[in-house]
Amino acid sequence: MTGGTARRLQHFIDNGWRDSETDRWIDDVNPSDVRDVVAHVPEGSADDARAAATAAAKAFPAWRALTGPARAEHLYKWGAAIGDRAEELAQVMAREVGKPIGEARGEVSRCVVILRYYAGEAVRQIGDVIPAQSPGALQFSLREPLGVVAMITPWNFPLAIPLWKVAPALAFGNTVVLKPAESSSYLAALLAETAAAAGIPAGVFNVLFGAGATVGAAILEAPEVRAVSFTGSGAVGARIAATAAARNIRYQTEMGGKNVVIVMPDADIAKAASLTAAGAMRYAGQKCTATSRVVVARSVEDEFLRQLRSQVESLPIGPVTDPKAAVGPLISRASHDSITAALKDANAESIFTSSIPSSADFSNGNFFAPTVVRGGDPDGLLAQRELFGPVLAAFTADDADHAIELANGTAYGLSASIFTRDLRTALDYIDRIHVGLVRVNGDTTGVDPHAPFGGMKGSSSGSREQGPAAREFYTEIKTVQVNP
Ligand code: NAD
């Protein structure tokens, strides 16, 4: 699984590659084989953050002054540049973050779709005409860009999450400084290469590398930064929201989930078992929308768990470059250790655990066997804490009301699905479930790139991402009245 040489990264500022002034480095390793160092990531400094923010601020007036159709042309070209390197990007994704190659290819294709979609958004209406009280006056609203937007992103969708922030920001006339996760920095550098190849003008898109606590925090303090879009864990999101609120800059935070599947007595059990297994275990459960709880009606529990077991055991665990691979490694040894410790702390009662193949392909990676446990106390760790791994906690429901009470009983509110054939049950659940992404007879993971994305309660703050919803975040409204 060793994949080649380690690349020494540089910041991408003003369309140039620049060394960090710190000369300190973070190793970015292949989670399938931790002996393979993918990249040496520079530890950025506050000065590097200031240089990136200055470049983005300098580029803003000219980028903002471009017409929507001209910005759209740039986004189309960027999509094409990504398409030209699609297979290479997917292979790097498999190596750098352990995403199984089939899903990695899907993510790269999604990036092209995202850029095409926002190229279209760049030419849509940017305001409304509003009847005025003054006779003869013309009154209208105009949407304008905010200026420099900082983006702080996680490693798990290393291209799609940055792009579903960057593409709308640029479409509406903002400029960007992206601070990607340390463990997906190589892909962010390749993203910058594709932007330069597509002719995105200097300073419009900048990439800053390093640890969140240092350079991530520093970019939020740059006076040029007018907004921050963050995706990552709840603890970091809360800190970013507090910093942004204190500076009175706009923020949106997309955070974790404790996503749930409900299986009702009338469900298609085979379908429920197959989609619950996929939602919980693919990519080793490391999607923010991954299923981590299943609430099953007592009368079908034994049959559901029997079928779930066979579905989970049929999901191939790596190597991630094998097109059949479904599961893959955890991102880090620290994640492996923290999930192991959480299961121990919770005194988790196992229902079943898959096994990791014993071949040499797996011996140096952070592989974690897909595990299904009894959920236990609805207020306990297994019901409440996001573990971010292939661990599913099963709960028993007495009836539909009890199922929805269990489903809603966490601080998170990102994604949920119910399996039922009864329309009344489905409609009641749609009304009462407290999450941003609601499914009926589907997987909790994924969302169409042109549909709004985000959670309720502790999973999100600020406006939704993706699709037409992104316009809310990346523009502000001017109300204009012109009198005769
Ligand atoms: P993380 O919170 O550890 O890191 C996310 C980003 O924040 C990284 O770039 C990191 O360097 C930066 N960061 C860390 N500390 C910072 C600080 N003090 N100031 C500024 N930036 C800082 O998250 P992760 O481990 O990369 O990703 C996994 C988490 O992301 C999970 O909780 C998952 O649910 C969540 N996630 C949510 C969504 C969503 O859309 N809701 C999507 C994907 C992932």
Side-chain angles (χ1 to χ4, degrees), residues 119-143:
E121 284 292 285
V123 298
R124 276 188 237 293
Q125 74 187 67
I126 52 164
D128 298 301
V129 176
I130 305 149
Q133 286 184 336
S134 309
L138 173 64
Q139 179 164 262
F140 56 96
S141 65
L142 271 181
R143 283 186 177 267

Side-chain angles (χ1 to χ4, degrees), residues 17-32:
W17 298 98
R18 292 203 203 165
D19 281 329
S20 169
E21 47 139 34
T22 64
D23 200 25
R24 288 196 303 275
W25 302 88
I26 303 163
D27 278 353
D28 174 8
V29 299
N30 177 343
S32 297

Side-chain angles (χ1 to χ4, degrees), residues 126-325:
I126 52 164
D128 298 301
V129 176
I130 305 149
Q133 286 184 336
S134 309
L138 173 64
Q139 179 164 262
F140 56 96
S141 65
L142 271 181
R143 283 186 177 267
E144 296 194 340
L146 305 170
V148 178
V149 184
M151 289 161 189
I152 298 181
T153 53
W155 55 268
N156 65 334
F157 285 84
L159 291 178
I161 290 179
L163 268 177
W164 82 50
K165 298 177 188 296
V166 175
L170 298 195
F172 299 122
N174 304 279
T175 55
V176 167
V177 178
L178 168 69
K179 205 304 280 175
E182 298 86 312
S183 44
S184 59
S185 294
Y186 185 19
L187 281 159
L190 296 183
L191 192 61
E193 283 183 9
T194 61
I200 301 290
V204 168
F205 173 63
N206 307 276
V207 186
L208 195 58
F209 294 110
T214 50
V215 78
I219 191 62
L220 299 182
E221 300 296 343
E224 296 87 352
V225 168
R226 298 307 317 147
V228 55
S229 178
F230 167 82
T231 300
S233 60
V236 176
R239 190 172 303 180
I240 284 175
T243 305
R247 282 200 50 211
N248 193 29
I249 63 172
R250 191 174 286 194
Y251 63 91
Q252 68 180 177
T253 58
E254 284 298 336
M255 301 169 287
K258 198 68 198 169
N259 310 300
V260 63
V261 159
I262 298 173
V263 184
M264 296 305 292
D266 64 343
D268 176 339
I269 299 292
K271 185 173 183 184
S274 144
L275 293 180
T276 304
M281 308 304 178
R282 280 189 173 273
Y283 193 19
Q286 299 171 111
K287 301 176 187 175
C288 54
T289 50
T291 313
S292 53
R293 297 179 296 146
V294 60
V295 174
V296 193
R298 197 179 295 283
S299 60
V300 292
E301 189 175 29
D302 289 348
E303 179 57 17
F304 172 79
L305 290 175
R306 193 185 63 72
Q307 293 199 32
L308 180 71
R309 179 175 195 149
S310 104
Q311 290 292 338
V312 170
E313 288 175 349
S314 72
L315 290 172
I317 303 179
V320 292
T321 46
D322 181 339
K324 290 197 287 299

Side-chain angles (χ1 to χ4, degrees), residues 1-50:
M1 182 59 76
T2 45
T5 52
R7 178 160 151 183
R8 192 172 154 278
L9 302 183
Q10 294 170 292
H11 301 306
F12 181 71
I13 298 174
D14 224 1
N15 275 15
W17 298 98
R18 292 203 203 165
D19 281 329
S20 169
E21 47 139 34
T22 64
D23 200 25
R24 288 196 303 275
W25 302 88
I26 303 163
D27 278 353
D28 174 8
V29 299
N30 177 343
S32 297
D33 182 344
V34 295
R35 299 166 304 175
D36 174 27
V37 179
V38 177
H40 302 293
V41 180
E43 175 57 278
S45 68
D47 280 352
D48 296 331
R50 273 192 289 275

Side-chain angles (χ1 to χ4, degrees), residues 330 332-345 368 381 385-388:
L330 292 171
S332 64
R333 186 40 57 178
S335 172
H336 194 289
D337 292 349
S338 89
I339 296 171
T340 306
L343 289 173
K344 193 154 172 267
D345 287 354
F368 194 100
L381 187 160
R385 192 190 298 172
E386 182 190 50
L387 300 180
F388 221 53

Side-chain angles (χ1 to χ4, degrees), residues 260-265 293-299 301 375-379 383 394-410 418 425 428-429 432-433:
V260 63
V261 159
I262 298 173
V263 184
M264 296 305 292
R293 297 179 296 146
V294 60
V295 174
V296 193
R298 197 179 295 283
S299 60
E301 189 175 29
D377 177 3
D379 295 325
F395 297 82
T396 313
D398 298 325
D399 54 30
D401 284 344
H402 186 211
I404 291 180
E405 183 189 323
L406 287 169
N408 279 336
T410 79
I418 194 169
T425 304
D428 183 55
Y429 146 87
R432 292 164 65 195
I433 195 74

